[in-house]
Amino acid sequence: VTKMDVVENDSIRKPKTYVETNRKFKRLTLVNNNNNGKIGLEILLISDRSLLGTNNTGGDDDDDFAKDGKKNEETESESDEEEDESGSDVSSSKDDSEDEREEGAKEGLKTAACAVEVSVGYLSDPENFHGLSHFLEHMVFMGTRTNRSENFFDEWLSRNWGSQNAYTDTEKTVFHFDVHPKRLKEGVEIFSKFFTEPLILERALEREVTAIESEFERVVNSDGVRMELLLADLAIEGHPYRKFGWGNRQSLTESEAYKEKNGARKALKRHFKEHYHARRMSVVVCGAEELEELEEMVLSAKAFGSLCVQEEEEKEEVDDGNDDDTNNKIVDEYVSQFERIDEVNLSDTYGQPFAHLVPSFVKTSQVKTGTQLTLVFQLSSKINRNYLSKSVNFIETLLGHEGEGSCFEALRKRGLCSELCAGVSRGGLDDTSISALLSVSIKLTERGATRTEDILFILFTYLRQIESLLSSNGARFYDEMQQISQIEFEYSESEHACEFVERLVSDVRRFSPENVLYGDSYWQRYDENEIREVLSMLTPENVLVILASSEYKGNDAATIEPWVKFPYEVESFKYTASTSDAQDMQKVEKELGFPSKNRFIPKDLRMHNEIEKLFPVKGNDSINNTTTTTTTTNHVTLEVTPKIIYNECGVLRLWAKLGCREFKTQPKASMYFNANLLVEESVHDTMCLKMFALMLQDSVNKDIYYPAHVAANECSVHVLAQSTGVSFRFDGWSDTISELALAYFRRAASADQSFIQEEDRFQKVKEMALQDMQNMVLKVRSHCAILSRLMKHEKEHSLQEKVAVLKEVTSEDVIRYGKKFFQNVFTEGLLVGNITESMATKLGDSLKQLLVNAAATTAGASENTSGEEVTRGNNNNNNALVFSRVVNLPPGTNHSIHVNAVNKDEVNSAITHYYQIGPSNSASRAIALLCEQFMSEKIFDQLRTKESLGYVVSAYFESSNEILGFNVLVESAFHAPKFVSERIKCFLDAFPSVIENLTDEEFNKQRVSLMEELLAEDANLREQSGRYFAHLKNRKYQFHRARDVAGHVSTITKADIARFCRETFSDSSTNASDGDARSKQLSVSIHGKNYPLEEKEKSEVKEIIAIKGEYGYYATEEGDGVTVPELYIPSKKIANAHSMDVAISGASHANPDTTAMNEDTIDAQEEGTKQQQQQQQFYSSKVMKTCETPFCGFCGNGKRKMPFSLPSGN
């Protein structure tokens, strides 16, 4: 094997942040000398020493660590925000991107990773075997000659911080895994065997067909997947776009190959031989080793080096794998007659998929309530993939723009749409070597659904305007996009290695070697002629207009899509430029144009570092950043945490961690603000709050949000869980982020609430809000979560009640509510990143003035004429802030909720078992997290892999308002919820014995693994700020809680876990250690159409609300928001520990018989006095003062000590 092309680190264009952190790269292209010099494996190597931790450049390779998904113990598991539908890629992941838990997998944990792309996808499936590529993606993981067990790799990864995933796309199949950095070499060797010697076992075929069927059943009600299947069915006969890439039981088992004896294995092994070889593969590896070591690792004969010579040295062994030897010989003889295929060049054989059909108008159905209009244009694949000019990116950026002069703004102001997205998606049918499909998808209002001709007129007028203004504005806008992309690239935040290699493996062959990192960001040159060529394809003559509506049910003339069976009709389309309001449409052309200059592009990218000035710590016992190693045994080494930098009692409190010691190359900042309610509210008030937040979002979109978003800032506003306030979040450039935050607050606190006053706009926003609320329950797992929240939370109202009340809410109601809002809230914020004390103080002064003025204006407009300061909050309330209490399930409770799926065509059922643990403390969090660590892989292997209960199986810890619980979730299309519940209980009953039968070595590995995860460093600024903000949300402000939890984990034994499981999961007191201690269980089952409930079996919402009231509620476990408690500092041993320190692995040698969850009392006593002296310095370097505000409803007339406003200049 010869290395034909080697691009060294210095020749690869890298961000400044990578250079300064010494992340190194090497790009290799191999040539097989025995195969006429054909190009072989393409390789990208990434050396990142930081994967071993800041203090650890090596280590003892004899220490194993375990990992099965980051347990982010800081974050609550429930969210009011609906996640977007997953993309159209065919995936065989055990993780689920649509899970509503805020788990934050692997945040802060640094793993090494490897990814492989095979340049073949489902467009190359045989005509009579739809889904073969996806089927093969599943089967290659089912054991190898070297490691014959089907679950070997998963089990090995679970012991070594690892996870694996794969997906099949149109022209590629991608596999990737991550693992503990010290185990990368072994992982690469195991992983490589899937591509050189997979068994593809006969006995595993049926089980994986079931898995693929279950995977497909999960997405049959996804409107995105239905659109993809519609386009496939519309393609010209014989075109590869007609392939059914997902595959299901029908497409696989009814194929001729599957029916033939050994036929399925023959087809799979032939597909493997033809396509899974070095000339079709790219490999990306990211590890802590030096580049030379990584190269040797990848090209070793034990790893991918064997791919380079395998073509001339075919293995002759029979893959018996306990299958019939004779059958294997037949399969091998059949496969041996086929040659490897160097390349599949579909573009030379096939033309555009819809050339026979355009222009056409298509009517079809959709699952979600509402109507969507989609325009699909066919473009040249060559132009689309010209990454240097980015002409298609230029056009799609303009089409998707939402600022002044945009198509969206013209549609929005007329009440015709609520959302618009445009572009060529990366992957799927949109982006292939045959064609590029540029789609413009518009979510219509009820008015828009009746005026599609106006929408088309505005869109095509906008395209004409772009063309006419191109000469005068095109170069300026291109330069602006070039500038933004350049800044984003140069200051890229660190990605987790697994995400990094998965993204880059598809870029290895897409971009030139020197631009493998830069290609997506590289706007090299403005090509006006090419842009005009793209615009010439965006015409009414080259379009498919697709109108999808939940109201459309089809008719006798409709065509039925073959796989999901939804109806559609195709009609001829002729654009006439007719409109329903000619006078209004005459104004449109003047409204449309290029965006104005973006004010949120940063100009000052300097780094500020005031960390020592802001956080002075007296004496020898200095508290430093975690990157500092301490040599004095009396020192406690901890990261610097946020402190209070600004406080106005009852109005505004700002916490800050200023400077960027950990992320010193990032001129960025994060700002979070919670406007916490001070008064109890009715369901009518909560709906007014919802509309207040939505109208604010709608108002800032044109002139604030979208320009900021284009300039790589992110901002959001959403209502807090159980409607206890509003949360604002800003992430972006430190140069402009303060301006961005103030712009939001100015709009929200405007005296006249003018952003709510436009009645027509209010009605359209409310219409979309009602649609979205009704669509929330269409997914069975979302429905499950909504009912579970309703049962668990005192202040959670039913969806039906909220919808009914929202229908009655008027704009006048919301204006009145908005005018009083800032009189009735206390705002608490967090500032983290590249900002100075003066910047923070200036922001605090501006915010305080806004909030005080807003409250005073409200009071002035009402009855307050006394001249006294406005009273904030409720003096009669024991807590200043509004809290949402959690139901206290009585011991022995086994309450079940059963309802049918809202969507009558939903085949999946979802079953959640929730087991309540109780109030949060470090000890209970530790044992619950460790239970999750042990259970997550084992329950997936048993219920999903072995029993095939469903495609989604998971077990996870949750914290709801500081009340802990544990969940088991199964989503199944093939088994009744009752049966699934029984299997869950059987697994949980047996699980304590599984723990008890673990060897001490296995148990200790998992325990140390969890400690490592809890001590892991944050990967980037956004992760760090999110972690801190979790402690502001619960108002406990214990920023070192993860370390304290890690200390408790180090003392847990097998007996502790087994006892915890019996007490938590068993519904029989005879199995509990205490006769009175029985589980507190809530189960929710959403029944799909395969297992419907009778009317009498359904649970009623009013029953759910009544019974939680009977059970009663826990006293709030969250902080009161007034008193700031002292910061707990963990014991010396755990405080000084680092994520990658081998020293803490001493926990793996702890005596298994020691008492569970004992605190390290000796260390605590030694450190106690010193901690008391230091704790206050973490929070504030200023004196604690008493509130001096008369009649203060927030802190009770100064009866509680609070840090007061800080004098400037100190």
Side-chain angles (χ1 to χ4, degrees), residues 963-1024:
I963 301 299
L964 306 186
F966 202 92
N967 290 281
V968 177
L969 167 71
V970 176
E971 189 175 321
S972 175
F974 310 120
H975 299 284
K978 181 179 179 181
F979 175 77
V980 173
S981 289
E982 290 171 353
R983 298 310 304 154
I984 290 172
K985 290 177 181 177
C986 286
F987 173 87
L988 294 175
D989 285 345
F991 190 67
S993 298
V994 173
I995 296 294
E996 290 167 335
N997 291 328
L998 291 171
T999 66
D1000 289 346
E1001 181 183 9
E1002 290 172 324
F1003 180 82
N1004 289 327
K1005 284 180 180 179
Q1006 293 280 17
R1007 186 173 57 175
V1008 172
S1009 169
L1010 179 56
M1011 291 176 66
E1012 294 274 340
E1013 294 176 44
L1014 292 167
L1015 296 173
E1017 298 172 1
D1018 301 300
N1020 52 55
L1021 180 65
R1022 186 173 298 192
E1023 286 185 7
Q1024 185 182 82

Side-chain angles (χ1 to χ4, degrees), residues 1181-1195:
S1181 58
K1182 311 298 181 186
V1183 180
M1184 303 285 276
K1185 292 185 178 180
T1186 301
C1187 172
E1188 298 170 358
T1189 304
F1191 311 108
C1192 183
F1194 184 72
C1195 68

Side-chain angles (χ1 to χ4, degrees), residues 211-229:
I212 289 171
E213 171 72 3
S214 181
E215 191 175 347
F216 181 62
E217 289 292 345
R218 287 190 58 247
V219 299
V220 294
N221 289 307
S222 161
D223 288 322
V225 171
R226 288 180 172 221
M227 178 62 71
E228 182 184 76
L229 295 174

Side-chain angles (χ1 to χ4, degrees), residues 352 379-386 431-436:
Q352 292 286 6
L379 305 182
S380 159
S381 178
K382 182 179 179 181
I383 294 178
N384 179 55
R385 295 189 173 188
N386 183 355
D431 178 21
T432 72
S433 60
I434 306 172
S435 178

Side-chain angles (χ1 to χ4, degrees), residues 479-491:
D479 290 345
E480 192 172 272
M481 295 308 301
Q482 185 182 59
Q483 181 186 3
I484 293 170
S485 295
Q486 179 71 22
I487 294 172
E488 271 196 278
F489 177 75
E490 293 293 358
Y491 298 100

